Amino acid sequence: MNEEDGQGRQDRADAVDREMVARLLPEAVVRALGRWWEVNASAYADGTPGAHTVRYTPGRWAQITPWPPTLAPTSASGDASVSRAEVAAAVADALQRKAFREALVATYVWGKGKRGTPGGSGPATLHRILSFDGLDAVLAAAVTALRDHGAPQAYAALHRKVPGLGPSFSSKFLYFTGSVVPPARGPRPLILDRVLARRLRQIAAAVGRESGHDVDGSVAAWVWSDSNWTPHRYRVYLSFMHAATGQLATGDSWPSGAAPDLLECALFTTAWESSG
């Protein structure tokens, strides 16, 4: 590995990270988010995405136990729906009983919704995750790390610890856990998945090009890849998202008291044209 592949590339990544924090959301993104808010203001009038609802098919998850009592029974026919607020309530109930697996199931079903790949990868993957002998200990350690240290440490406690439980669904578990167990310090957890990583990659590529730190976008593609984000990258993500929420609050096209997860929800469904 030469210097450019190793420390040199990391130095460039750090430089782009610093530039992103200094510049925050480009004007094109701010305008796109303003349009999103115009459409969704009534649904999220409280400044949170608690009403964000997904549909799922309970019968697809018949093999999954333990099953959260707040979700529709797997014997039910047809589809059901569940909101972020309802998942948060389910996680609160489960964690009060130290039913860590049940909390994970609630967040996983919400996160997967009606999506899936051939072969029923959602339920099948979750079944494999739940079959891992050390799962309870890992989830308990993540909750403890969140409570005693912070979100990046909780993410690190889950990172590559459970076969099949990748960073996207780990961050979903932490996000909903964070509504019940506030971190000892630092920002609350947020969801980071492939879509959000691509949004940040787009911003990072523009910043890198404009600043000269990443003219060809290779560093942005490296750090904001489609999966396997490191605990360091998760920390960078949280810092950027919370700072960007403050940036939006100073304008007139975004609710001033909005929570950072409203920005996460909006970015997930918002597209914009890149300049240059």
Side-chain angles (χ1 to χ4, degrees), residues 105-184:
V105 169
T107 65
Y108 199 99
V109 171
W110 177 87
K112 183 61 69 172
K114 288 181 65 64
R115 293 178 298 112
T117 54
S121 68
T125 300
L126 181 56
H127 188 266
R128 290 195 297 271
I129 292 169
L130 294 170
S131 299
F132 179 64
D133 286 341
L135 179 61
D136 288 295
V138 172
L139 295 177
V143 173
T144 298
L146 181 63
R147 183 186 63 235
D148 295 347
H149 301 289
Q153 292 85 352
Y155 182 91
L158 289 174
H159 189 55
R160 297 180 177 176
K161 297 297 195 301
V162 179
L165 183 59
S168 175
F169 283 91
S170 291
S171 70
K172 290 178 175 69
F173 173 78
L174 292 177
Y175 166 68
F176 286 107
T177 297
S179 67
V180 183
V181 184

Side-chain angles (χ1 to χ4, degrees), residues 214-230:
D214 181 28
V215 176
D216 63 358
S218 60
V219 168
W222 174 51
V223 298
W224 298 109
S225 59
D226 279 352
S227 63
N228 202 31
W229 311 288
T230 64

